[in-house]
Amino acid sequence: MKGKRVMHDIYNFVSGPMVWVSFIIFTVGCIYRFISMALLARKKDPFIYNYMNPYHALRSIFHWLTPFGSENMRKHPVFTIVAFAFHICLILAPVFLFAHIILIKQSWNISWWFISDSTADIMTIIVIVACVFFLIRRIIRPEVKFLTSFSDYIILAVVAAPFITGFWTYHQFAGYRIMGIIHILSGEIMLAAIPFTRLSHMLFFAFTRGY
Protein backbone atom coordinates (compact mmCIF):
# COMPACT_ATOMS: atom_id res chain seq x y z
CA MET A 1 0.00 0.00 0.00
CA LYS A 2 2.81 2.37 0.92
CA GLY A 3 4.62 1.50 -2.29
CA LYS A 4 1.55 2.37 -4.37
CA ARG A 5 1.23 5.70 -2.57
CA VAL A 6 4.87 6.51 -3.27
CA MET A 7 4.42 5.62 -6.95
CA HIS A 8 1.32 7.81 -7.06
CA ASP A 9 3.18 10.75 -5.52
CA ILE A 10 6.08 10.35 -7.95
CA TYR A 11 3.68 10.19 -10.89
CA ASN A 12 1.90 13.35 -9.75
CA PHE A 13 5.24 15.11 -9.37
CA VAL A 14 6.65 14.22 -12.81
CA SER A 15 3.30 14.81 -14.53
CA GLY A 16 2.68 18.08 -12.68
CA PRO A 17 5.48 20.41 -11.50
CA MET A 18 8.15 18.74 -13.63
CA VAL A 19 6.16 19.37 -16.80
CA TRP A 20 6.14 23.10 -16.07
CA VAL A 21 9.83 23.08 -15.14
CA SER A 22 10.75 21.43 -18.45
CA PHE A 23 8.57 23.83 -20.46
CA ILE A 24 10.07 26.85 -18.69
CA ILE A 25 13.63 25.61 -19.27
CA PHE A 26 12.77 24.91 -22.92
CA THR A 27 11.14 28.32 -23.48
CA VAL A 28 13.75 30.40 -21.66
CA GLY A 29 16.55 28.36 -23.24
CA CYS A 30 15.15 28.91 -26.74
CA ILE A 31 14.80 32.65 -26.22
CA TYR A 32 18.35 32.85 -24.87
CA ARG A 33 19.78 30.82 -27.75
CA PHE A 34 17.92 32.83 -30.40
CA ILE A 35 19.13 36.14 -28.97
CA SER A 36 22.70 34.97 -28.40
CA MET A 37 22.96 33.46 -31.90
CA ALA A 38 21.53 36.60 -33.50
CA LEU A 39 24.05 38.78 -31.66
CA LEU A 40 26.90 36.40 -32.47
CA ALA A 41 25.98 36.38 -36.15
CA ARG A 42 26.00 40.19 -36.25
CA LYS A 43 29.32 40.29 -34.39
CA LYS A 44 31.00 37.85 -36.78
CA ASP A 45 29.47 39.41 -39.89
CA PRO A 46 28.13 42.97 -39.36
CA PHE A 47 26.42 42.97 -42.77
CA ILE A 48 24.63 39.62 -42.42
CA TYR A 49 21.15 41.12 -42.09
CA ASN A 50 21.73 43.50 -44.99
CA TYR A 51 22.51 40.93 -47.64
CA MET A 52 20.25 38.08 -46.51
CA ASN A 53 17.61 37.46 -49.16
CA PRO A 54 14.31 35.78 -48.12
CA TYR A 55 13.82 34.20 -51.54
CA HIS A 56 17.23 32.55 -51.65
CA ALA A 57 17.02 31.59 -47.99
CA LEU A 58 13.66 29.86 -48.47
CA ARG A 59 14.88 28.17 -51.65
CA SER A 60 17.84 26.73 -49.75
CA ILE A 61 15.66 25.61 -46.84
CA PHE A 62 13.12 23.82 -49.04
CA HIS A 63 15.94 22.32 -51.11
CA TRP A 64 17.30 20.59 -48.01
CA LEU A 65 13.81 19.58 -46.88
CA THR A 66 13.30 17.72 -50.15
CA PRO A 67 14.33 14.05 -50.02
CA PHE A 68 17.32 13.46 -52.33
CA GLY A 69 17.32 17.15 -53.17
CA SER A 70 21.07 17.50 -52.62
CA GLU A 71 23.92 15.59 -54.22
CA ASN A 72 25.09 14.36 -50.82
CA MET A 73 21.64 12.85 -50.14
CA ARG A 74 21.74 11.01 -53.45
CA LYS A 75 25.17 9.60 -52.62
CA HIS A 76 23.85 8.11 -49.36
CA PRO A 77 20.32 6.85 -50.16
CA VAL A 78 19.94 4.55 -47.13
CA PHE A 79 20.97 7.24 -44.67
CA THR A 80 18.71 9.77 -46.42
CA ILE A 81 15.65 7.50 -46.20
CA VAL A 82 16.31 6.64 -42.56
CA ALA A 83 17.00 10.26 -41.61
CA PHE A 84 13.84 11.61 -43.24
CA ALA A 85 11.65 8.83 -41.79
CA PHE A 86 13.22 9.41 -38.37
CA HIS A 87 12.62 13.16 -38.31
CA ILE A 88 9.07 12.91 -39.64
CA CYS A 89 8.06 10.29 -37.08
CA LEU A 90 9.98 12.00 -34.27
CA ILE A 91 7.89 15.15 -34.71
CA LEU A 92 4.50 13.80 -35.77
CA ALA A 93 4.12 10.85 -33.38
CA PRO A 94 4.23 12.83 -30.09
CA VAL A 95 2.25 15.79 -31.45
CA PHE A 96 -0.60 13.75 -32.93
CA LEU A 97 -0.69 10.88 -30.43
CA PHE A 98 -4.22 10.46 -29.08
CA ALA A 99 -3.08 9.92 -25.46
CA HIS A 100 -1.06 13.14 -25.52
CA ILE A 101 -3.91 15.12 -27.04
CA ILE A 102 -6.29 13.86 -24.35
CA LEU A 103 -3.92 15.09 -21.64
CA ILE A 104 -3.68 18.50 -23.32
CA LYS A 105 -7.47 18.59 -23.68
CA GLN A 106 -7.87 17.91 -19.98
CA SER A 107 -5.32 20.58 -19.02
CA TRP A 108 -6.04 23.42 -21.47
CA ASN A 109 -9.26 22.38 -23.18
CA ILE A 110 -7.73 22.39 -26.66
CA SER A 111 -7.37 19.50 -29.07
CA TRP A 112 -6.64 18.69 -32.69
CA TRP A 113 -6.62 15.85 -35.19
CA PHE A 114 -4.90 12.66 -34.03
CA ILE A 115 -3.42 9.55 -35.62
CA SER A 116 -4.53 6.00 -34.86
CA ASP A 117 -2.70 4.02 -32.18
CA SER A 118 -1.50 1.51 -34.78
CA THR A 119 0.01 4.33 -36.85
CA ALA A 120 1.65 5.73 -33.72
CA ASP A 121 3.07 2.27 -33.00
CA ILE A 122 4.62 2.07 -36.46
CA MET A 123 6.08 5.57 -36.21
CA THR A 124 7.47 4.79 -32.74
CA ILE A 125 9.17 1.65 -34.04
CA ILE A 126 10.64 3.66 -36.94
CA VAL A 127 12.18 6.15 -34.49
CA ILE A 128 13.63 3.36 -32.32
CA VAL A 129 15.04 1.45 -35.31
CA ALA A 130 16.49 4.68 -36.72
CA CYS A 131 18.22 5.39 -33.40
CA VAL A 132 19.77 1.92 -33.52
CA PHE A 133 20.84 2.60 -37.11
CA PHE A 134 22.48 5.90 -36.12
CA LEU A 135 24.21 4.19 -33.18
CA ILE A 136 25.65 1.39 -35.33
CA ARG A 137 26.69 3.92 -37.97
CA ARG A 138 28.61 5.94 -35.38
CA ILE A 139 30.39 2.79 -34.23
CA ILE A 140 31.32 1.17 -37.55
CA ARG A 141 31.82 4.10 -39.94
CA PRO A 142 35.39 5.39 -39.35
CA GLU A 143 34.70 8.93 -40.60
CA VAL A 144 31.62 9.21 -38.36
CA LYS A 145 33.26 7.51 -35.39
CA PHE A 146 36.12 10.01 -35.56
CA LEU A 147 33.69 12.92 -35.16
CA THR A 148 31.58 11.21 -32.49
CA SER A 149 31.89 12.24 -28.85
CA PHE A 150 30.35 10.70 -25.73
CA SER A 151 27.66 13.38 -25.76
CA ASP A 152 26.42 12.10 -29.13
CA TYR A 153 25.61 8.73 -27.55
CA ILE A 154 23.85 10.49 -24.68
CA ILE A 155 21.74 12.49 -27.11
CA LEU A 156 20.76 9.31 -28.97
CA ALA A 157 19.68 7.77 -25.67
CA VAL A 158 17.73 10.91 -24.73
CA VAL A 159 15.86 10.80 -28.04
CA ALA A 160 15.17 7.05 -27.98
CA ALA A 161 14.09 6.84 -24.32
CA PRO A 162 10.64 8.52 -24.59
CA PHE A 163 9.70 6.31 -27.54
CA ILE A 164 10.92 3.04 -26.00
CA THR A 165 9.24 3.75 -22.68
CA GLY A 166 6.08 5.04 -24.35
CA PHE A 167 5.78 1.89 -26.46
CA TRP A 168 6.43 -0.23 -23.36
CA THR A 169 3.82 1.62 -21.31
CA TYR A 170 1.12 1.58 -23.98
CA HIS A 171 1.42 -2.17 -24.47
CA GLN A 172 1.54 -2.70 -20.69
CA PHE A 173 4.60 -4.92 -20.63
CA ALA A 174 5.97 -5.99 -17.23
CA GLY A 175 6.68 -2.97 -15.02
CA TYR A 176 4.68 -0.63 -17.26
CA ARG A 177 3.66 1.62 -14.34
CA ILE A 178 7.28 2.44 -13.52
CA MET A 179 8.04 2.69 -17.22
CA GLY A 180 5.20 5.20 -17.56
CA ILE A 181 6.87 7.46 -15.02
CA ILE A 182 10.20 7.08 -16.82
CA HIS A 183 8.41 7.89 -20.08
CA ILE A 184 7.14 11.22 -18.75
CA LEU A 185 10.48 12.07 -17.15
CA SER A 186 12.50 11.17 -20.24
CA GLY A 187 10.21 13.32 -22.40
CA GLU A 188 10.74 16.24 -20.04
CA ILE A 189 14.51 15.74 -20.12
CA MET A 190 14.46 15.71 -23.91
CA LEU A 191 12.37 18.88 -24.06
CA ALA A 192 14.60 20.73 -21.60
CA ALA A 193 17.75 19.56 -23.42
CA ILE A 194 16.71 20.84 -26.86
CA PRO A 195 18.02 24.43 -26.58
CA PHE A 196 21.37 23.39 -25.04
CA THR A 197 22.43 20.37 -27.12
CA ARG A 198 22.77 19.39 -30.75
CA LEU A 199 19.03 18.77 -30.69
CA SER A 200 18.74 22.53 -31.11
CA HIS A 201 19.16 22.04 -34.87
CA MET A 202 15.40 21.38 -34.96
CA LEU A 203 14.96 25.02 -33.90
CA PHE A 204 17.79 26.68 -35.79
CA PHE A 205 17.88 24.65 -39.00
CA ALA A 206 15.86 27.22 -40.94
CA PHE A 207 18.09 30.09 -39.80
CA THR A 208 21.45 28.36 -40.34
CA ARG A 209 20.32 26.93 -43.70
CA GLY A 210 18.95 30.30 -44.77
CA TYR A 211 22.22 31.96 -43.80
Side-chain angles (χ1 to χ4, degrees), residues 145-165:
K145 184 178 181 180
F146 176 76
L147 297 172
T148 298
S149 63
F150 181 71
S151 63
D152 292 314
Y153 295 114
I154 297 297
I155 291 173
L156 264 179
V158 167
V159 172
F163 290 87
I164 295 173
T165 55

Side-chain angles (χ1 to χ4, degrees), residues 45-204:
D45 186 352
F47 304 103
I48 178 175
Y49 299 113
N50 294 331
Y51 66 70
M52 279 193 72
N53 183 293
Y55 168 76
H56 292 294
L58 289 172
R59 188 176 68 173
S60 178
I61 291 167
F62 284 111
H63 175 72
W64 279 90
L65 289 176
T66 303
F68 301 104
S70 70
E71 183 178 349
N72 189 56
M73 291 183 190
R74 293 191 289 272
K75 286 181 178 179
H76 305 91
V78 175
F79 177 79
T80 298
I81 292 171
V82 173
F84 270 88
F86 167 78
H87 284 90
I88 291 171
C89 294
L90 177 70
I91 295 171
L92 297 186
V95 172
F96 294 102
L97 183 67
F98 178 71
H100 290 174
I101 295 173
I102 287 296
L103 292 174
I104 293 172
K105 175 71 173 177
Q106 292 173 347
S107 299
W108 294 297
N109 197 32
I110 57 173
S111 61
W112 50 86
W113 176 81
F114 57 88
I115 58 178
S116 66
D117 288 344
S118 58
T119 301
D121 260 1
I122 294 171
M123 297 176 82
T124 298
I125 292 171
I126 289 173
V127 171
I128 296 171
V129 171
C131 285
V132 174
F133 172 84
F134 295 143
L135 175 63
I136 295 174
R137 182 173 178 269
R138 288 192 175 278
I139 294 174
I140 67 174
R141 292 290 296 270
E143 69 276 19
V144 182
K145 184 178 181 180
F146 176 76
L147 297 172
T148 298
S149 63
F150 181 71
S151 63
D152 292 314
Y153 295 114
I154 297 297
I155 291 173
L156 264 179
V158 167
V159 172
F163 290 87
I164 295 173
T165 55
F167 187 85
W168 190 300
T169 303
Y170 173 75
H171 290 281
Q172 297 191 357
F173 297 143
Y176 72 93
R177 294 185 186 278
I178 296 176
M179 200 60 68
I181 293 174
I182 298 174
H183 170 65
I184 298 172
L185 187 59
S186 62
E188 292 164 349
I189 291 172
M190 180 178 172
L191 183 66
I194 288 174
F196 309 104
T197 66
R198 291 178 64 177
L199 294 174
S200 62
H201 75 272
M202 68 176 64
L203 300 172
F204 304 122

